[in-house]
Amino acid sequence: MDQGRTHRIRRRLLKGGHFLGLFLAMSIICLPGLWVVLNSFRPTVEIMAKPPVWIPTELNLDHYRAMFGGVGEGGVPVLTYFWNSMIISLTSTAIALLVGMAGGYAFARHRIPGKAAIFVGLMVTRAVPGVALSLPLFILFGRIGIIDTHFGMILVYVALNVPFTIWLIDGFFRQVPKELAEAAEIDGCTRWQAFWKVEFPVARAGIASAGIFAFLTSWNEYALASQLTRSLNSKTMPVGLMDFTSQFTLNWGGMCALAVLMIIPALVLTFLVQKHLIAGLTFGGVKG
Amino acid sequence: MAEVVLRDVVKTYGALPVVHAINLDIAHGEFVVLVGPSGCGKSTTLRMIAGLEDISGGEVRIGDRMVNDLPPRDRNISMVFQNYALYPHMTVRENLGFSLHIAKRSKPEIAKAVAEAADILSLTPLLDRKPGQLSGGQRQRVAMGRAIVRHPDVFLFDEPLSNLDAKLRTQMRVEIKRLHQKVGTTIIYVTHDQVEAMTLADRIVIMRDGHIVQIGTPLEVFERPVNSFVATFIGSPPMNLMPATVTGGALRLADGTALPLPPGLSAHEGQAVQFGVRADNIMPEGHSLPPTAHMAHVDMPVTLTEPLGTETLLFGTLAGTEVQAKMLNPRPVRTGEVLRFGIALDKCHLFDAETGASLRV
Ligand SMILES: Nc1ncnc2c1ncn2[C@@H]1O[C@H](COP(=O)(O)OP(=O)(O)O)[C@@H](O)[C@H]1O
Ligand SMILES: [Mg+2]
């Protein structure tokens, strides 16, 4: 009996320890985000206060109002940036997914000599920092005249995302047994139907996560966008953040407000995609 | 009508041949089992019939059509895979109806066919579940149901029972046989388990290293194996084989024991052979079947016993080879006890020591 009790106590302590550890880790991860959200609602004096004010005394929407206001009063063309970001991110994600699916499927289903080397090659392209790419790209894009266009940015982000989407989607398709497609073919499908009616739906949760990944990469990318976008034609939201810096001052509150506006669509999209595509999917069509 | 004919069918992977020019005629409604050790080319052969593998040479005909270049969907066949390959994102109902849905049949027609198949395989209460919520045996039945809704010309089974536990396997074996009696469709069934082959088949096709070794009814391949490979592969326990030579019209075992030459065999003087006898044909006196016309007797010490209830398997050593014998109406036997065994020579086999070919005339 006694032994059972000490065992129980130890289990409870262990659980409490886990909880505490998780809480600390999550605080460290979440605190900057929370701070951004908080700052977007606080007057500039409070943001800049030293020592910092932890518990806000006043919350208002001044920064948001100013942001959407006229150019003279700290306003920025939020809607245009938002629109540019959306078009560029969604289009490049869609294309990267299509290429990723074609490539990933081919890698997963066919014996391709030198596959490991090709994958390392794909990853190496991603090891080059964006800033290092930005100057050559700037010159190249300048020559062919696609600087400051949606097309140019979409091209860059597709190139950025394709290695990862291929790599991720290859992994997901390899988890789908090839007998599923064979069964579908015997059941009367063409090769094409077998893919879309069986293999794709079974792998779609994985493909969706690759899509979220590609979307977030494009949505948040700054290093390349800051060089290759010049004006309202194509400036994306991360680049728009720099509108709040001027030679001698930094409008922290405005920046935080725009950052919050950036976070929201990304959160909503991620949530929707996950809920819609991943919920209700159960595996087990084949014996493990 | 759907007979299946294989003419000189060859499969090579690159330069590596895995199926060597095999010929096979399967009649309409026949239950044929391809059996052989793992890696002998059974699945490859079946998949060529299904259209899942290209045929490197020869001809496959289903019914009156040459199907070499037809995709699987145009061959009117169904297949049950070893891992079932159920569509995990569809319910049992959708799995069963998938082929009809693809064929654009009407909703009521699909519902009727699905209900019928579900009824035959007792799947009705499971129709709204997903494959992930089913047990192994239930998945197996869904896989079979998916195969029968379409009323194909030929059913192909690739080791459908090897993922089930022993009890369920026996049960499903009976269900498959019943299903065949009910629907009467041609079945080609692949297994590496000779018991499955014996119990299910109208005709057994024994394969080895990409060749067909023997084709025959279960009794034919059991009683008249064409070589020592078939002899040891079919039947449980496997046939005992002992090296021997033919001298002076008698059979001399390795330790010099002389046995009369079994009748109906052709061996020439001095030939090195393998003497084959099944456990059922070597039994201790007093615990055996009635003696046949040609009996030989040997004394053998028992080294191990395996009581099975109605009979006991006795392990002994004869002429330096371990031999399994059968004891009917068993009594307890001590290890080391020497028993007198009767060998029914007219049920015995001789194989050429080099080629393994049967010397039965
Ligand atoms: N895609 C392939 N490439 C090369 N060799 C293969 C391939 N598939 C099967 N084989 C070889 O063909 C032989 C027969 O395989 P299989 O028909 O699957 O045997 P089994 O009788 O066990 O079903 C095996 O030796 C296997 O290694
Ligand atoms: Mg196989």
Side-chain angles (χ1 to χ4, degrees), chain B residues 110-232:
Chain B
I110 296 177
K112 185 164 163 283
V114 168
E116 207 172 279
D119 189 44
I120 291 178
L121 292 160
S122 335
L123 288 169
T124 313
L126 307 175
L127 280 177
D128 292 311
R129 297 217 198 148
K130 292 243 173 105
Q133 299 161 294
L134 301 178
S135 71
Q138 291 168 335
R139 287 181 202 181
Q140 173 61 54
R141 290 214 301 276
V142 177
M144 275 165 50
R146 196 172 60 180
I148 65 172
V149 278
R150 229 148 44 95
H151 300 290
D153 286 340
V154 184
F155 284 129
L156 307 175
F157 287 86
D158 191 356
E159 312 229 9
L161 303 184
S162 53
N163 277 337
L164 301 177
D165 60 56
K167 196 174 154 201
L168 211 50
R169 192 159 23 189
T170 324
Q171 210 174 310
M172 290 306 299
R173 215 163 66 199
V174 176
E175 279 199 44
I176 290 177
K177 199 150 191 180
R178 269 209 194 105
L179 183 73
H180 181 243
Q181 287 173 348
K182 209 175 289 181
V183 298
T185 310
T186 312
I187 294 185
I188 308 176
Y189 186 107
V190 161
T191 178
H192 64 268
D193 179 353
Q194 58 94 16
V195 178
E196 250 170 59
M198 291 291 282
T199 49
L200 287 173
D202 291 332
R203 260 191 324 153
I204 296 184
V205 177
I206 299 159
M207 292 184 66
R208 182 195 200 183
D209 297 337
H211 295 277
I212 290 180
V213 184
Q214 186 170 6
I215 303 177
T217 65
L219 282 186
E220 274 165 16
V221 297
F222 184 78
E223 288 174 354
R224 304 178 68 89
V226 295
N227 61 21
S228 54
F229 168 74
V230 175
T232 48

Side-chain angles (χ1 to χ4, degrees), chain A residues 81-93:
Chain A
Y81 293 161
F82 180 83
W83 189 236
N84 287 339
S85 268
M86 267 297 166
I87 289 181
I88 292 171
S89 300
L90 284 180
T91 317
S92 67
T93 300

Side-chain angles (χ1 to χ4, degrees), chain A residues 30-203:
Chain A
C30 294
L31 212 58
L34 286 177
W35 198 243
V36 167
V37 175
L38 200 59
N39 279 352
S40 73
F41 296 107
R42 305 208 285 186
T44 311
V45 231
E46 208 175 291
I47 299 172
M48 305 298 283
K50 247 180 221 175
V53 179
W54 291 103
I55 312 293
T57 49
E58 188 201 340
L59 293 177
N60 59 47
L61 292 172
D62 284 354
H63 297 305
Y64 291 90
R65 228 170 270 137
M67 187 164 61
F68 285 102
V71 176
E73 308 115 56
V76 290
V78 184
L79 289 179
T80 311
Y81 293 161
F82 180 83
W83 189 236
N84 287 339
S85 268
M86 267 297 166
I87 289 181
I88 292 171
S89 300
L90 284 180
T91 317
S92 67
T93 300
I95 297 174
L97 272 188
L98 281 178
V99 178
M101 265 160 59
Y105 187 77
F107 275 117
R109 284 290 183 263
H110 299 283
R111 237 184 261 186
I112 293 175
K115 173 175 167 178
I118 295 174
F119 271 26
V120 171
L122 285 177
M123 288 305 125
V124 165
T125 63
R126 288 303 317 271
V128 182
V131 182
L133 281 176
S134 63
L135 185 64
L137 274 179
F138 184 80
I139 296 171
L140 208 65
F141 278 25
R143 287 276 164 84
I144 51 178
I146 53 172
I147 282 190
D148 202 21
T149 58
H150 287 165
F151 174 74
M153 289 316 295
I154 289 168
L155 204 62
V156 169
Y157 289 154
V158 167
L160 216 56
N161 280 320
V162 156
F164 265 122
T165 52
I166 289 183
W167 184 69
L168 282 174
I169 292 174
D170 162 75
F172 292 120
F173 275 126
R174 261 185 297 137
Q175 285 172 15
V176 180
K178 71 179 195 335
E179 283 88 353
L180 285 188
E182 292 177 348
E185 278 190 81
I186 285 177
D187 272 347
C189 290
T190 60
R191 199 68 203 71
W192 186 247
Q193 280 177 313
F195 177 80
W196 285 110
K197 290 196 184 286
V198 174
E199 292 179 288
F200 175 73
V202 173

Side-chain angles (χ1 to χ4, degrees), chain A residues 186, chain B residues 49-51 62 72 75-79 150 152-156:
Chain A
I186 285 177
Chain B
I49 298 172
I62 297 176
R75 297 191 183 195
N76 200 20
I77 41 145
S78 293
M79 182 154 169
R150 229 148 44 95
D153 286 340
V154 184
F155 284 129
L156 307 175

